Amino acid sequence: MAIPSDALPDLRRAASAGLLDLDGSAPASPDAVRARETLSAPHVGTLVWSVPPGYRALLAEHNRLSCRRETDDGEREFVLVDEAESADLNADLVHLPEGVGREPGRDLSTSHLVGFAEAGYEAVWCFDVTRPGADGEYPVYYHHQDEPRARHLADGSWEDRADAVPDFPSFTAWLEAMAGAFTAPRPPAWFEELGTPVLVELARDGIFRTGGQD
């Protein structure tokens, strides 16, 4: 699956017009792509996953891509991290350590997630690598360290049942939404909550699926 035909060109045009800052590296090497599949090791369990086609197409353009936009409410960003940053991102902000839970005897896990992009502060865009589609794509979730998209370790059930429905069905859908939001004359309502745990609750309520407009 290719990158959406308008996503990167739209971001580049907006950057040229001064609406946002866009910084892209050289394409990812084959080793850099493979490293993403092996460098992240959760604190609980194991990870087995493959870089999905849409994400792989982006990596063929840039191994790292950052996008920042200033608004009246401050700076918003997404940063598609490189392979070394990916390992640190997942260890620090995505994967819960052993023995974490809100109820006695019900430990939680985020070992089903692989973060691929920073969303600012302690927020990360993640793949749920336990749910590949027939096309090899994974659903995408907005995850915040203070409001994790966690499952119960014992049986794999979601801590919050609303998380059974992903925020985006694929990397391609996610990138289209990011390009649309960051280049919009008037960004969607969820834009101002990027980087905050509030956006997790809005996501659970379906703000991305409804377009997130006021």
Side-chain angles (χ1 to χ4, degrees):
M1 181 179 294
I3 302 171
S5 58
D6 294 332
L8 279 180
D10 283 352
L11 289 170
R12 289 167 180 153
R13 281 191 291 270
S16 295
L19 182 65
L20 54 84
D21 294 321
L22 189 68
D23 184 20
S25 73
S29 68
D31 285 345
V33 175
R34 285 193 294 270
R36 285 169 166 81
E37 300 171 340
T38 59
L39 287 178
S40 295
H43 306 296
V44 180
T46 58
L47 264 178
V48 179
W49 74 294
S50 299
V51 171
Y55 183 31
R56 188 179 296 272
L58 184 283
L59 294 175
E61 298 267 352
H62 301 292
N63 191 42
R64 187 181 195 275
L65 182 71
S66 67
C67 179
R68 293 179 174 85
R69 178 172 171 178
E70 291 281 354
T71 70
D72 293 340
D73 298 316
E75 184 180 83
R76 301 295 181 270
E77 69 175 359
F78 70 85
V79 182
L80 283 146
V81 296
D82 65 24
E83 68 278 16
E85 292 171 317
S86 175
D88 293 338
L89 185 71
N90 283 284
D92 295 342
L93 296 179
V94 178
H95 294 144
L96 292 174
E98 189 173 3
V100 173
R102 302 185 202 271
E103 306 171 51
R106 297 208 78 189
D107 287 357
L108 297 173
S109 170
T110 50
S111 298
H112 54 288
L113 299 177
V114 172
F116 63 88
E118 296 178 353
Y121 305 100
E122 296 174 330
V124 185
W125 293 104
C126 300
F127 297 120
D128 180 352
V129 299
T130 64
R131 302 167 70 187
D135 57 0
E137 296 290 341
Y138 299 111
V140 171
Y141 285 84
Y142 175 86
H143 163 91
H144 195 281
Q145 188 179 46
D146 294 341
E147 193 63 47
R149 315 299 285 269
R151 297 185 188 211
H152 294 109
L153 181 61
D155 60 9
S157 62
W158 289 102
E159 181 189 23
D160 191 307
R161 293 181 182 179
D163 289 340
V165 180
D167 302 335
F168 298 100
S170 66
F171 176 85
T172 297
W174 171 83
L175 186 59
E176 287 178 329
M178 293 303 104
F182 275 79
T183 62
R186 180 173 177 266
W190 56 261
F191 192 77
E192 65 185 42
E193 297 296 347
L194 267 177
T196 75
V198 172
L199 189 52
V200 174
E201 292 304 325
L202 295 177
R204 286 169 174 156
D205 289 339
I207 196 166
F208 295 123
R209 297 189 295 277
T210 60
Q213 297 294 340
D214 288 329

